[in-house]
Amino acid sequence: MDDVSLKSRAIVFAMCAGAVAFILALIATSGGGVDIANVSRALIPAVVCAAMCWASAERSISATAAAIDAAIARLSRAAQGDLSGEIPPEIAANVPQLADAMHSLFEQLNANLDSVHRLAMFDPVTGLANRTNFRRTCERLLAEAPLGTGGALFFIDLDRFKTVNDTMGHACGDMLLGMVANRLRAVADGVAFAPGSPPPLIGRLAGDEFTIFFNALTDSAEAARIGRGILFALAEPFDLSGTEVTIGASIGIALRPQHGESLTDLMRAADAAMYHAKASGRGRAEHFSEALAAQIAERATLESDLREAIDRDEFTLVFQPQVAAEDGRIVAAEALLRWRHPRDGLRFPGSFLERAEETGLIVEIGEWVVQTVAETIARWGRMGVEQRLAVNVSPRELDHATFFRRLREAMRAAAAPAHLLELELSETLAMHCSSEVIEAIAQLRADGATIAIDDFGTGYSNLARLRSLPIDRVKLDRSLIEHIAVDADARTIAHAVIGLIHGLGCEAVGEGIESHAQAEILRIIGCDVIQGYAIAAPMDEDAFISWSKGEVRWASAG
C-alpha cells in the first residue's frame, strides 16, 4: 500500500469501468448464447469505455497526483529536519488547502523549536544567556580569537539579594533580577569598542550570580572603570512595587591572557577575586592577583593534606586543665585538637579548621573526635580519673542532632561514664540551634553529661532563651577578662556578667587566664573555675594524668 499513487488508482478505475462495459455489452448482444462473435463485439465498447475513463481521470488527477507526490517528498525532508525549505509551487497551484496546512505546520514547528531553544539557552527571568549558552558562546569567542588576544571576564554576585527574596517573596526577587539584568545591559552598551568587535556577552549563571565577557579588552584600568560602573549601577535603589530596595554587588575581574587562556581558567580566577571582594567588605570590584593565586594553591594543598591526615591518623588531642578558683583543685580539662603535620610539625586548629568546614572534612574529623573522646573518657573512668573532659562542638556539628546521637552511642559502646563528659557550645550557635538539637543535648545531659556555653559575651544572647537551654556552665570570653587586672570598668563588667551567670543557676568559668593577677581578681569577684596558660599549658594525655594526680597546682594568693 505504501507504493500506491493516484495514477495507479486511476488505471484500476479505468480497467474496472471497461470490465463493467464489457459485461453489459456481452449481455446485450448475446441473445441467449455466448460465442466468439458476441465476445468480440462486446470488447469494442469495453476498450473504448476504459480508454475514455482513463483519459478523463488522467487529465483530472495527474496534476493533483504530482502535487501530492511532491508534498510527500517535502514532508519526508521535513521529517529529516528541513523545516526552512520552500513548499513546492505545484502543491499551492493544485491543492491549495494542503499547501496552507503544510505552511502552518512548518511555522508552528519552527515556533516551537525557537521556544525550546530559548528555554534551553536563555534565562526565562532575565532574558540573558544561561550558564550553558554563556559558556558555549564564550568558549567559541575564545577559540576564534588568536592566542594572546585580550579579554575580560566579570563575575558579579549580588549582595543582600537573599534578604529581598526571603522578605518580599520570589516574585519580587525575580522582578529585581530582571531590573539588575537591564542595568547590566545598560553598562555593557555604554562601553565603546572598535567597529566589528562582538558585543559584550552577559549571562546569568544561577541565583544571584551574573557574568559579563568583554572580548578584546586588554586594559586593566579600563576593566576597573567598567567594574566601578557596574557597582554604581547596582548600588542605586530599585523600586519594587513601591518599595525602595538597595542591594549592591561584589565583583571579581579576570583578564586574558594574564589570568588564563581558557574559560575555565578565567572563571576560576574571577570567582576567586569575587570571593575576595566579599571577604573584604562587599560592594567592591577586585582583580585576580598573584597573591590570590597563591591563596588558592595554598587552600588546595591544605585540603589535600587534610584528607591525607584523616587517612594517616595524624590528629591528636591535648588537654588544658580547668581548676577551681577558690582552692586550685582540678575539676576538668578541655580537649583541644592538634594536627601532627609531617612537614610543619604541630598545627593549631586555627590554621586548618576553617578549610575543614568549607570542604566538609570537618564531619570526618568530628567522627574521629567523637570516637577518641569516648575512648579517652572510658580509659579515664577505668583509671579512676574523676575530672570531666570538655569538648568543643563545631558549627556544622551543632546543626545536626545526629552528631549528639552518635556521641551518645559512642559513649555507651565504649562504656564511658557520661558524667565525665562536658560539651561546649558557642554562645551565638546555642542561640540558634533547633529544637531537635536541644532535645538531643538534653538526652546527653540526662545521662550525666555537663553542658557549657563557650565564648559568652561575644554574641547577642536572649536571656529567656538562655534560661531555657539545658546548660550547667558558662565560660566568659577572654575579651571580658583581658583587661580586668588594669581596668576598673573591665572588672565591673566581668563582675556583672558573673552575677548574671550565677542568676541563671550556672557555674562561671574564666578562660584565657594569662596572669595570676587576672586569676586572683576572678576569684574575688566570684568566678568559680579558671583556665589558661597562667594555670597550665595544654599537654598530652600522659602529662595531664600526672599533673592531675599531683598536689594542688595553683592556689589563690589569699
Side-chain angles (χ1 to χ4, degrees):
M1 293 297 294
D2 292 342
D3 297 330
V4 175
S5 66
L6 287 178
K7 286 188 176 182
S8 63
R9 292 178 181 180
I11 293 172
V12 172
F13 169 73
M15 293 179 65
C16 291
V20 170
F22 172 75
I23 294 171
L24 292 175
L26 186 62
I27 293 173
T29 60
S30 62
V34 178
D35 54 21
I36 295 298
N38 291 339
V39 171
S40 298
R41 286 192 295 272
L43 278 174
I44 293 172
V47 171
V48 171
C49 180
M52 293 177 66
C53 288
W54 160 247
S56 175
E58 198 278 337
R59 281 196 305 271
S60 63
I61 69 170
S62 59
T64 303
I68 291 177
D69 290 341
I72 292 172
R74 180 67 187 88
L75 289 171
S76 297
R77 293 196 303 274
Q80 302 300 318
D82 179 13
L83 297 176
S84 58
E86 293 290 332
I87 296 175
E90 59 265 31
I91 301 176
N94 294 281
V95 194
Q97 299 91 336
L98 178 59
D100 291 342
M102 291 175 66
H103 184 72
S104 297
L105 174 64
F106 291 166
E107 279 190 342
Q108 186 62 50
L109 287 173
N110 278 314
N112 290 345
L113 288 175
D114 288 343
S115 177
V116 170
H117 181 264
R118 283 195 301 272
L119 290 173
M121 304 302 286
F122 292 90
D123 172 47
V125 174
T126 63
L128 299 175
N130 63 13
R131 178 185 291 271
T132 301
N133 188 5
F134 182 85
R135 291 191 69 92
R136 287 181 181 177
T137 306
C138 201
E139 286 171 348
R140 177 178 56 79
L141 291 172
L142 292 172
E144 292 173 352
L147 284 178
T149 301
L153 180 67
F154 292 73
F155 198 114
I156 305 158
D157 187 89
L158 302 182
D159 297 333
R160 298 180 294 278
F161 171 75
K162 186 177 185 301
T163 302
V164 175
N165 219 26
D166 291 344
T167 57
M168 302 185 67
H170 291 285
C172 286
D174 288 349
M175 187 187 306
L176 177 59
L177 291 173
M179 294 178 179
V180 167
N182 290 335
R183 294 191 184 185
L184 292 179
R185 290 187 185 98
V187 172
D189 291 343
V191 178
F193 286 99
S197 298
L201 176 63
I202 311 175
R204 179 190 175 204
L205 298 190
D208 58 354
E209 295 179 343
F210 296 81
T211 46
I212 307 180
F213 179 69
F214 291 90
N215 200 27
L217 178 63
T218 57
D219 186 3
S220 175
E222 176 66 8
R225 188 190 67 78
I226 295 172
R228 290 192 298 271
I230 296 172
L231 289 175
F232 179 79
L234 298 183
E236 289 292 304
F238 294 83
D239 183 5
L240 294 181
S241 302
T243 302
E244 194 173 86
V245 172
T246 303
I247 49 172
S250 299
I251 304 174
I253 305 172
L255 299 177
R256 184 190 195 227
Q258 297 95 310
H259 306 141
E261 289 282 355
S262 69
L263 178 61
T264 299
D265 291 340
L266 292 174
M267 288 283 281
R268 184 186 300 115
D271 186 49
M274 183 274 292
Y275 276 107
H276 179 63
K278 276 195 176 298
S280 301
R282 301 174 182 264
R284 303 164 59 94
E286 294 284 348
H287 282 75
F288 187 72
S289 64
E290 291 301 322
L292 277 178
Q295 287 180 20
I296 292 173
E298 182 181 349
R299 287 158 66 86
T301 301
L302 179 56
E303 179 180 352
S304 176
D305 288 351
L306 280 171
R307 294 186 186 279
E308 291 181 0
I310 293 170
D311 294 336
R312 297 174 181 175
D313 195 24
E314 293 176 356
F315 294 106
T316 188
L317 294 179
V318 294
F319 307 90
Q320 186 171 38
Q322 298 176 353
V323 301
E326 190 62 38
D327 55 18
R329 291 177 299 102
I330 180 169
V331 295
E334 181 176 0
L336 303 171
L337 185 64
R338 297 291 186 266
W339 178 8
R340 298 186 300 263
H341 196 281
R343 296 187 304 274
D344 302 338
L346 203 63
R347 294 185 62 164
F348 287 72
S351 67
F352 62 85
L353 274 190
E354 181 180 356
R355 187 59 178 158
E357 290 273 4
E358 294 171 351
T359 59
L361 292 173
I362 191 66
V363 174
E364 294 179 63
I365 295 174
E367 293 282 356
W368 178 88
V369 170
V370 164
Q371 193 62 39
T372 304
V373 164
E375 292 172 356
T376 301
I377 291 176
R379 187 163 54 250
W380 288 9
R382 291 191 297 270
M383 296 169 61
V385 176
E386 287 300 320
Q387 286 77 31
R388 292 187 305 273
L389 180 58
V391 182
N392 273 292
V393 181
S394 79
R396 179 175 290 227
E397 290 159 343
L398 193 56
D399 281 342
H400 303 286
T402 51
F403 167 79
F404 299 96
R405 297 192 186 106
R406 288 198 308 271
L407 177 58
R408 191 180 185 210
E409 291 167 2
M411 292 284 290
R412 290 183 172 181
H419 71 276
L420 296 183
L421 172 67
E422 179 174 314
L423 292 178
E424 294 186 358
L425 322 174
S426 76
E427 176 189 9
T428 302
L429 293 173
M431 290 300 104
H432 299 95
C433 58
S434 66
S435 57
E436 185 182 12
V437 168
I438 292 175
E439 182 181 349
I441 293 173
Q443 289 175 347
L444 274 169
R445 189 167 182 255
D447 290 342
T450 301
I451 310 299
I453 297 294
D454 195 14
D455 301 328
F456 187 76
T458 58
Y460 299 92
S461 291
N462 180 314
L463 295 181
R465 165 80 168 177
L466 193 62
R467 189 171 59 249
S468 67
L469 292 174
I471 57 175
D472 305 282
R473 310 171 85 201
V474 177
K475 299 182 71 174
L476 282 72
D477 185 71
R478 63 185 64 231
S479 62
L480 295 176
I481 296 170
E482 184 177 5
H483 302 294
I484 60 172
V486 294
D487 189 329
D489 290 338
R491 287 194 292 274
T492 301
I493 293 172
H495 192 186
V497 172
I498 290 172
L500 174 63
I501 294 171
H502 288 160
L504 294 171
C506 299
E507 277 190 334
V509 181
E511 62 177 341
I513 311 302
E514 301 293 340
S515 68
H516 277 69
Q518 291 174 332
E520 181 62 14
I521 291 171
L522 285 173
R523 182 190 70 81
I524 294 172
I525 62 178
C527 189
D528 302 293
V529 176
I530 53 178
Q531 170 189 349
Y533 276 79
I535 312 303
M539 58 192 80
D540 62 31
E541 184 178 0
D542 290 339
F544 172 75
I545 296 298
S546 299
W547 196 92
S548 65
K549 290 181 177 179
E551 297 295 327
V552 173
R553 313 302 296 186
W554 180 90
S556 66

PDB file of all heavy atoms in Angstrom, residues 395 398-400 425-438 453 459-462 465-466 469:
ATOM      1  N   PRO A 395      30.384  24.419  64.514  1.00  0.00           N
ATOM      2  CA  PRO A 395      29.100  24.930  63.992  1.00  0.00           C
ATOM      3  C   PRO A 395      28.370  23.921  63.122  1.00  0.00           C
ATOM      4  O   PRO A 395      27.157  23.779  63.201  1.00  0.00           O
ATOM      5  CB  PRO A 395      29.522  26.164  63.185  1.00  0.00           C
ATOM      6  CG  PRO A 395      30.791  26.614  63.820  1.00  0.00           C
ATOM      7  CD  PRO A 395      31.484  25.364  64.267  1.00  0.00           C
ATOM      8  N   LEU A 398      26.801  21.288  65.262  1.00  0.00           N
ATOM      9  CA  LEU A 398      25.680  21.791  66.053  1.00  0.00           C
ATOM     10  C   LEU A 398      24.411  21.911  65.219  1.00  0.00           C
ATOM     11  O   LEU A 398      23.321  21.989  65.752  1.00  0.00           O
ATOM     12  CB  LEU A 398      26.052  23.146  66.658  1.00  0.00           C
ATOM     13  CG  LEU A 398      25.129  23.675  67.765  1.00  0.00           C
ATOM     14  CD1 LEU A 398      25.016  22.678  68.897  1.00  0.00           C
ATOM     15  CD2 LEU A 398      25.627  25.009  68.277  1.00  0.00           C
ATOM     16  N   ASP A 399      24.564  21.907  63.898  1.00  0.00           N
ATOM     17  CA  ASP A 399      23.396  21.998  63.026  1.00  0.00           C
ATOM     18  C   ASP A 399      22.644  20.674  62.937  1.00  0.00           C
ATOM     19  O   ASP A 399      21.535  20.629  62.406  1.00  0.00           O
ATOM     20  CB  ASP A 399      23.819  22.413  61.607  1.00  0.00           C
ATOM     21  CG  ASP A 399      24.082  23.902  61.519  1.00  0.00           C
ATOM     22  OD1 ASP A 399      23.612  24.621  62.422  1.00  0.00           O
ATOM     23  OD2 ASP A 399      24.755  24.336  60.578  1.00  0.00           O
ATOM     24  N   HIS A 400      23.252  19.596  63.398  1.00  0.00           N
ATOM     25  CA  HIS A 400      22.657  18.276  63.202  1.00  0.00           C
ATOM     26  C   HIS A 400      22.580  17.520  64.524  1.00  0.00           C
ATOM     27  O   HIS A 400      23.593  17.327  65.201  1.00  0.00           O
ATOM     28  CB  HIS A 400      23.482  17.471  62.198  1.00  0.00           C
ATOM     29  CG  HIS A 400      23.639  18.164  60.872  1.00  0.00           C
ATOM     30  ND1 HIS A 400      22.624  18.255  59.956  1.00  0.00           N
ATOM     31  CD2 HIS A 400      24.684  18.823  60.327  1.00  0.00           C
ATOM     32  CE1 HIS A 400      23.042  18.919  58.896  1.00  0.00           C
ATOM     33  NE2 HIS A 400      24.286  19.286  59.095  1.00  0.00           N
ATOM     34  N   LEU A 425      29.337  24.639  73.720  1.00  0.00           N
ATOM     35  CA  LEU A 425      28.671  25.214  72.564  1.00  0.00           C
ATOM     36  C   LEU A 425      28.899  26.716  72.573  1.00  0.00           C
ATOM     37  O   LEU A 425      28.753  27.358  73.617  1.00  0.00           O
ATOM     38  CB  LEU A 425      27.160  24.936  72.594  1.00  0.00           C
ATOM     39  CG  LEU A 425      26.689  23.574  73.115  1.00  0.00           C
ATOM     40  CD1 LEU A 425      25.169  23.559  73.204  1.00  0.00           C
ATOM     41  CD2 LEU A 425      27.163  22.474  72.195  1.00  0.00           C
ATOM     42  N   SER A 426      29.254  27.291  71.426  1.00  0.00           N
ATOM     43  CA  SER A 426      29.460  28.745  71.407  1.00  0.00           C
ATOM     44  C   SER A 426      28.135  29.462  71.649  1.00  0.00           C
ATOM     45  O   SER A 426      27.060  28.969  71.310  1.00  0.00           O
ATOM     46  CB  SER A 426      30.064  29.191  70.069  1.00  0.00           C
ATOM     47  OG  SER A 426      29.094  29.187  69.061  1.00  0.00           O
ATOM     48  N   GLU A 427      28.230  30.658  72.245  1.00  0.00           N
ATOM     49  CA  GLU A 427      27.029  31.422  72.609  1.00  0.00           C
ATOM     50  C   GLU A 427      26.126  31.685  71.397  1.00  0.00           C
ATOM     51  O   GLU A 427      24.917  31.456  71.446  1.00  0.00           O
ATOM     52  CB  GLU A 427      27.450  32.753  73.235  1.00  0.00           C
ATOM     53  CG  GLU A 427      26.278  33.670  73.558  1.00  0.00           C
ATOM     54  CD  GLU A 427      26.752  35.064  73.964  1.00  0.00           C
ATOM     55  OE1 GLU A 427      27.955  35.363  73.838  1.00  0.00           O
ATOM     56  OE2 GLU A 427      25.895  35.854  74.403  1.00  0.00           O
ATOM     57  N   THR A 428      26.721  32.155  70.297  1.00  0.00           N
ATOM     58  CA  THR A 428      25.925  32.510  69.120  1.00  0.00           C
ATOM     59  C   THR A 428      25.200  31.304  68.552  1.00  0.00           C
ATOM     60  O   THR A 428      24.014  31.353  68.213  1.00  0.00           O
ATOM     61  CB  THR A 428      26.831  33.130  68.037  1.00  0.00           C
ATOM     62  OG1 THR A 428      27.487  34.271  68.587  1.00  0.00           O
ATOM     63  CG2 THR A 428      26.019  33.548  66.822  1.00  0.00           C
ATOM     64  N   LEU A 429      25.913  30.179  68.457  1.00  0.00           N
ATOM     65  CA  LEU A 429      25.292  28.980  67.895  1.00  0.00           C
ATOM     66  C   LEU A 429      24.214  28.426  68.811  1.00  0.00           C
ATOM     67  O   LEU A 429      23.175  27.949  68.353  1.00  0.00           O
ATOM     68  CB  LEU A 429      26.360  27.914  67.638  1.00  0.00           C
ATOM     69  CG  LEU A 429      27.388  28.251  66.549  1.00  0.00           C
ATOM     70  CD1 LEU A 429      28.487  27.214  66.514  1.00  0.00           C
ATOM     71  CD2 LEU A 429      26.711  28.344  65.194  1.00  0.00           C
ATOM     72  N   ALA A 430      24.454  28.501  70.117  1.00  0.00           N
ATOM     73  CA  ALA A 430      23.463  27.983  71.062  1.00  0.00           C
ATOM     74  C   ALA A 430      22.150  28.741  70.971  1.00  0.00           C
ATOM     75  O   ALA A 430      21.075  28.190  71.208  1.00  0.00           O
ATOM     76  CB  ALA A 430      24.018  28.057  72.480  1.00  0.00           C
ATOM     77  N   MET A 431      22.226  30.025  70.587  1.00  0.00           N
ATOM     78  CA  MET A 431      21.007  30.827  70.490  1.00  0.00           C
ATOM     79  C   MET A 431      20.140  30.420  69.297  1.00  0.00           C
ATOM     80  O   MET A 431      18.959  30.735  69.246  1.00  0.00           O
ATOM     81  CB  MET A 431      21.366  32.316  70.347  1.00  0.00           C
ATOM     82  CG  MET A 431      21.953  32.949  71.609  1.00  0.00           C
ATOM     83  SD  MET A 431      20.849  32.877  73.027  1.00  0.00           S
ATOM     84  CE  MET A 431      21.621  31.561  73.968  1.00  0.00           C
ATOM     85  N   HIS A 432      20.729  29.707  68.329  1.00  0.00           N
ATOM     86  CA  HIS A 432      20.000  29.412  67.093  1.00  0.00           C
ATOM     87  C   HIS A 432      19.844  27.926  66.802  1.00  0.00           C
ATOM     88  O   HIS A 432      19.343  27.565  65.744  1.00  0.00           O
ATOM     89  CB  HIS A 432      20.715  30.081  65.903  1.00  0.00           C
ATOM     90  CG  HIS A 432      20.804  31.570  66.005  1.00  0.00           C
ATOM     91  ND1 HIS A 432      21.903  32.218  66.525  1.00  0.00           N
ATOM     92  CD2 HIS A 432      19.917  32.543  65.681  1.00  0.00           C
ATOM     93  CE1 HIS A 432      21.693  33.528  66.499  1.00  0.00           C
ATOM     94  NE2 HIS A 432      20.500  33.753  66.002  1.00  0.00           N
ATOM     95  N   CYS A 433      20.271  27.065  67.697  1.00  0.00           N
ATOM     96  CA  CYS A 433      20.151  25.627  67.413  1.00  0.00           C
ATOM     97  C   CYS A 433      18.685  25.205  67.452  1.00  0.00           C
ATOM     98  O   CYS A 433      17.858  25.789  68.144  1.00  0.00           O
ATOM     99  CB  CYS A 433      21.002  24.797  68.369  1.00  0.00           C
ATOM    100  SG  CYS A 433      20.626  25.019  70.103  1.00  0.00           S
ATOM    101  N   SER A 434      18.366  24.161  66.698  1.00  0.00           N
ATOM    102  CA  SER A 434      16.982  23.723  66.533  1.00  0.00           C
ATOM    103  C   SER A 434      16.495  22.987  67.773  1.00  0.00           C
ATOM    104  O   SER A 434      17.276  22.556  68.634  1.00  0.00           O
ATOM    105  CB  SER A 434      16.877  22.803  65.321  1.00  0.00           C
ATOM    106  OG  SER A 434      17.594  21.602  65.542  1.00  0.00           O
ATOM    107  N   SER A 435      15.179  22.816  67.839  1.00  0.00           N
ATOM    108  CA  SER A 435      14.582  22.085  68.967  1.00  0.00           C
ATOM    109  C   SER A 435      15.037  20.635  68.976  1.00  0.00           C
ATOM    110  O   SER A 435      15.182  20.027  70.034  1.00  0.00           O
ATOM    111  CB  SER A 435      13.056  22.164  68.880  1.00  0.00           C
ATOM    112  OG  SER A 435      12.594  21.650  67.645  1.00  0.00           O
ATOM    113  N   GLU A 436      15.281  20.079  67.773  1.00  0.00           N
ATOM    114  CA  GLU A 436      15.750  18.693  67.691  1.00  0.00           C
ATOM    115  C   GLU A 436      17.140  18.565  68.307  1.00  0.00           C
ATOM    116  O   GLU A 436      17.429  17.597  69.028  1.00  0.00           O
ATOM    117  CB  GLU A 436      15.779  18.249  66.230  1.00  0.00           C
ATOM    118  CG  GLU A 436      16.132  16.774  66.048  1.00  0.00           C
ATOM    119  CD  GLU A 436      16.215  16.368  64.587  1.00  0.00           C
ATOM    120  OE1 GLU A 436      16.228  17.269  63.721  1.00  0.00           O
ATOM    121  OE2 GLU A 436      16.283  15.158  64.317  1.00  0.00           O
ATOM    122  N   VAL A 437      18.003  19.556  68.048  1.00  0.00           N
ATOM    123  CA  VAL A 437      19.346  19.553  68.627  1.00  0.00           C
ATOM    124  C   VAL A 437      19.268  19.715  70.148  1.00  0.00           C
ATOM    125  O   VAL A 437      19.970  19.028  70.903  1.00  0.00           O
ATOM    126  CB  VAL A 437      20.202  20.666  67.995  1.00  0.00           C
ATOM    127  CG1 VAL A 437      21.487  20.879  68.787  1.00  0.00           C
ATOM    128  CG2 VAL A 437      20.526  20.328  66.554  1.00  0.00           C
ATOM    129  N   ILE A 438      18.416  20.628  70.617  1.00  0.00           N
ATOM    130  CA  ILE A 438      18.264  20.839  72.060  1.00  0.00           C
ATOM    131  C   ILE A 438      17.802  19.553  72.739  1.00  0.00           C
ATOM    132  O   ILE A 438      18.276  19.194  73.828  1.00  0.00           O
ATOM    133  CB  ILE A 438      17.279  21.994  72.329  1.00  0.00           C
ATOM    134  CG1 ILE A 438      17.887  23.322  71.870  1.00  0.00           C
ATOM    135  CG2 ILE A 438      16.924  22.066  73.806  1.00  0.00           C
ATOM    136  CD1 ILE A 438      16.953  24.494  71.985  1.00  0.00           C
ATOM    137  N   ILE A 453      28.200  26.788  77.851  1.00  0.00           N
ATOM    138  CA  ILE A 453      28.171  27.805  76.800  1.00  0.00           C
ATOM    139  C   ILE A 453      29.555  28.445  76.738  1.00  0.00           C
ATOM    140  O   ILE A 453      30.076  28.928  77.748  1.00  0.00           O
ATOM    141  CB  ILE A 453      27.106  28.886  77.079  1.00  0.00           C
ATOM    142  CG1 ILE A 453      25.714  28.267  77.085  1.00  0.00           C
ATOM    143  CG2 ILE A 453      27.190  29.997  76.048  1.00  0.00           C
ATOM    144  CD1 ILE A 453      25.268  27.721  75.752  1.00  0.00           C
ATOM    145  N   GLY A 459      28.355  37.335  71.689  1.00  0.00           N
ATOM    146  CA  GLY A 459      27.150  37.319  70.863  1.00  0.00           C
ATOM    147  C   GLY A 459      26.069  38.198  71.453  1.00  0.00           C
ATOM    148  O   GLY A 459      26.312  39.070  72.284  1.00  0.00           O
ATOM    149  N   TYR A 460      24.845  37.942  70.993  1.00  0.00           N
ATOM    150  CA  TYR A 460      23.693  38.703  71.465  1.00  0.00           C
ATOM    151  C   TYR A 460      22.685  37.710  72.045  1.00  0.00           C
ATOM    152  O   TYR A 460      21.785  37.250  71.366  1.00  0.00           O
ATOM    153  CB  TYR A 460      23.067  39.509  70.314  1.00  0.00           C
ATOM    154  CG  TYR A 460      24.016  40.514  69.723  1.00  0.00           C
ATOM    155  CD1 TYR A 460      24.815  40.183  68.628  1.00  0.00           C
ATOM    156  CD2 TYR A 460      24.138  41.780  70.280  1.00  0.00           C
ATOM    157  CE1 TYR A 460      25.692  41.101  68.090  1.00  0.00           C
ATOM    158  CE2 TYR A 460      25.019  42.710  69.747  1.00  0.00           C
ATOM    159  CZ  TYR A 460      25.796  42.369  68.655  1.00  0.00           C
ATOM    160  OH  TYR A 460      26.672  43.281  68.136  1.00  0.00           O
ATOM    161  N   SER A 461      22.890  37.378  73.296  1.00  0.00           N
ATOM    162  CA  SER A 461      22.075  36.342  73.913  1.00  0.00           C
ATOM    163  C   SER A 461      20.689  36.851  74.275  1.00  0.00           C
ATOM    164  O   SER A 461      20.521  37.974  74.748  1.00  0.00           O
ATOM    165  CB  SER A 461      22.764  35.817  75.181  1.00  0.00           C
ATOM    166  OG  SER A 461      23.925  35.107  74.847  1.00  0.00           O
ATOM    167  N   ASN A 462      19.732  36.012  74.051  1.00  0.00           N
ATOM    168  CA  ASN A 462      18.381  36.224  74.543  1.00  0.00           C
ATOM    169  C   ASN A 462      18.319  35.516  75.893  1.00  0.00           C
ATOM    170  O   ASN A 462      18.415  34.290  75.963  1.00  0.00           O
ATOM    171  CB  ASN A 462      17.376  35.629  73.547  1.00  0.00           C
ATOM    172  CG  ASN A 462      15.943  35.802  73.992  1.00  0.00           C
ATOM    173  OD1 ASN A 462      15.601  35.549  75.147  1.00  0.00           O
ATOM    174  ND2 ASN A 462      15.096  36.197  73.067  1.00  0.00           N
ATOM    175  N   ARG A 465      15.847  32.786  76.259  1.00  0.00           N
ATOM    176  CA  ARG A 465      16.295  31.606  75.515  1.00  0.00           C
ATOM    177  C   ARG A 465      17.418  30.908  76.271  1.00  0.00           C
ATOM    178  O   ARG A 465      17.439  29.674  76.376  1.00  0.00           O
ATOM    179  CB  ARG A 465      16.770  32.053  74.135  1.00  0.00           C
ATOM    180  CG  ARG A 465      17.596  31.051  73.349  1.00  0.00           C
ATOM    181  CD  ARG A 465      16.745  30.028  72.681  1.00  0.00           C
ATOM    182  NE  ARG A 465      17.514  29.250  71.713  1.00  0.00           N
ATOM    183  CZ  ARG A 465      17.028  28.248  71.024  1.00  0.00           C
ATOM    184  NH1 ARG A 465      15.766  27.878  71.174  1.00  0.00           N
ATOM    185  NH2 ARG A 465      17.783  27.590  70.170  1.00  0.00           N
ATOM    186  N   LEU A 466      18.364  31.683  76.801  1.00  0.00           N
ATOM    187  CA  LEU A 466      19.492  31.102  77.523  1.00  0.00           C
ATOM    188  C   LEU A 466      19.003  30.330  78.748  1.00  0.00           C
ATOM    189  O   LEU A 466      19.511  29.252  79.057  1.00  0.00           O
ATOM    190  CB  LEU A 466      20.449  32.220  77.940  1.00  0.00           C
ATOM    191  CG  LEU A 466      21.831  31.806  78.434  1.00  0.00           C
ATOM    192  CD1 LEU A 466      22.594  31.084  77.336  1.00  0.00           C
ATOM    193  CD2 LEU A 466      22.615  33.031  78.891  1.00  0.00           C
ATOM    194  N   LEU A 469      17.691  26.817  77.925  1.00  0.00           N
ATOM    195  CA  LEU A 469      18.609  25.801  77.403  1.00  0.00           C
ATOM    196  C   LEU A 469      19.093  24.886  78.529  1.00  0.00           C
ATOM    197  O   LEU A 469      19.258  25.315  79.677  1.00  0.00           O
ATOM    198  CB  LEU A 469      19.812  26.468  76.734  1.00  0.00           C
ATOM    199  CG  LEU A 469      19.535  27.243  75.450  1.00  0.00           C
ATOM    200  CD1 LEU A 469      20.807  27.958  74.991  1.00  0.00           C
ATOM    201  CD2 LEU A 469      19.036  26.314  74.356  1.00  0.00           C
TER     202      LEU A 469
END
